[in-house]
Amino acid sequence: MEIFDGYSTLWLLGLAAALLATGVIAGIMAGLLGVGGGIVIVPVLYHLFTLLGIDESVRMHVAVGTSLATIIPTSIMSARAHRKRGSMDKGLLTKLMPGVIIGVIVGTILSGYLSGKVLSSIFATVALLVAINMAFKKDGFAVADQLPGTAGTSFMGLIIGGISCLMGIGGGTLSVPTLSAFRTPMHTAVGTGAALGVVISIPGTIGFLINGMDVPLRPPGSIGYVNLLGWALIVPMTMLTSGWGAALAHAIDARRLRQVFAVFLLLTSLRMFYGLLA
């Protein structure tokens, strides 16, 4: 196929093996910690593309676009499961959705103009904040006893949608800690966040597909900024191994686990900052 021209069979096999490993890592971490795979997939893909010599100008864009594409099937399945269990708050979703949609549109448009370094800076900064939250958040901490009014909730959705799109993550990574900070029950926050993942990933993926059309130096198997080879290999492995992660979660102390993942995010953030400053 034309999209694989210029790459040796051994190089492509190495890429495929690394993408399969990405799916395994993302699935296990998602099952263990209840976080969306995107927060794992993006940095792993970013470092993978760095090792494979993918040009810096497209490296982060393809990592984000591919991550958003992998979130589509997993978020749909997760949202359906939470809806069946009654953990999805339709009223809360209705309040958040307009802002989230606007945020995704803004994020998608911006992604076509922002450089890879800016996208990396955004990811590194938010990953650092998430790491700090996971490591030091005290049980029962809350900003307020209830969500703000319609305008405040819409603005919250705008920020969640925009940043999630630019980072290549589903809604859960930002929405769950944000909603829980306003004393939203955890199961409701998780279920609603899963639904937001659908709202974010579908238009976000379309935007990255369009923005990356005819852009040179993308990795083989890419359409726009979405790597189809990555999507085809990561999604099945993520779905397979998330159950393993969920099973392991019952055997490991949850607080210790969050701290370990916080260290992973901290190191990821620092590595990205180092790359930007080097």
Side-chain angles (χ1 to χ4, degrees):
M1 295 176 65
E2 183 180 347
I3 54 178
F4 296 115
D5 288 348
Y7 296 90
S8 69
T9 301
L10 183 61
W11 193 94
L12 290 171
L13 287 174
L15 174 62
L19 291 170
L20 285 171
T22 300
V24 171
I25 295 170
I28 291 176
M29 296 304 291
L32 276 171
L33 298 160
V35 298
I39 196 72
V40 178
I41 291 172
V42 171
V44 173
L45 283 180
Y46 176 82
H47 294 307
L48 169 62
F49 291 154
T50 301
L51 291 173
L52 293 175
I54 303 301
D55 194 86
E56 184 182 4
S57 63
V58 299
R59 191 183 300 159
M60 192 63 178
H61 288 81
V62 178
V64 171
T66 303
S67 177
L68 286 170
T70 66
I71 291 169
I72 293 175
T74 53
S75 62
I76 289 174
M77 292 180 63
S78 178
R80 290 179 62 185
H82 284 291
R83 185 181 65 180
K84 289 180 180 179
R85 289 197 295 265
S87 57
M88 184 187 299
D89 188 326
K90 293 183 179 179
L92 177 57
L93 187 61
T94 300
K95 292 178 181 178
L96 286 168
M97 193 176 294
V100 170
I101 292 174
I102 294 172
V104 172
I105 293 172
V106 172
T108 300
I109 294 172
L110 285 175
S111 69
Y113 296 95
L114 298 177
S115 67
K117 288 187 175 182
V118 173
L119 289 182
S120 298
S121 298
I122 292 172
F123 191 98
T125 300
V126 178
L128 179 61
L129 295 175
V130 172
I132 293 172
N133 179 69
M134 292 190 76
F136 300 109
K137 179 183 176 182
K138 296 181 179 179
D139 294 336
F141 169 81
V143 174
D145 291 333
Q146 61 182 7
L147 288 166
T150 302
T153 303
S154 297
F155 180 73
M156 185 186 301
L158 176 71
I159 298 301
I160 291 172
I163 294 179
S164 295
C165 181
L166 290 172
M167 290 182 66
I169 60 178
T173 301
L174 297 180
S175 65
V176 171
T178 300
L179 292 175
S180 63
F182 289 89
R183 297 203 185 280
T184 302
M186 183 56 69
H187 70 280
T188 301
V190 172
T192 305
L196 291 177
V198 180
V199 178
I200 292 167
S201 60
I202 294 177
T205 299
I206 294 171
F208 274 81
L209 278 169
I210 295 171
N211 289 340
M213 285 296 181
D214 300 322
V215 173
L217 304 177
R218 291 167 295 153
S222 298
I223 296 181
Y225 285 130
V226 176
N227 187 265
L228 297 183
L229 180 61
W231 186 91
L233 295 177
I234 291 173
V235 169
M237 298 309 297
T238 300
M239 291 182 171
L240 172 66
T241 58
S242 61
W244 303 352
L248 285 172
H250 293 287
I252 302 175
D253 178 69
R255 181 173 178 80
R256 180 68 62 185
L257 198 58
R258 287 197 302 270
Q259 292 173 341
V260 170
F261 188 65
V263 171
F264 165 78
L265 284 181
L266 174 62
L267 293 176
T268 296
S269 174
L270 294 177
R271 176 64 184 83
M272 284 188 167
F273 280 128
Y274 175 79
L276 291 169
L277 297 173

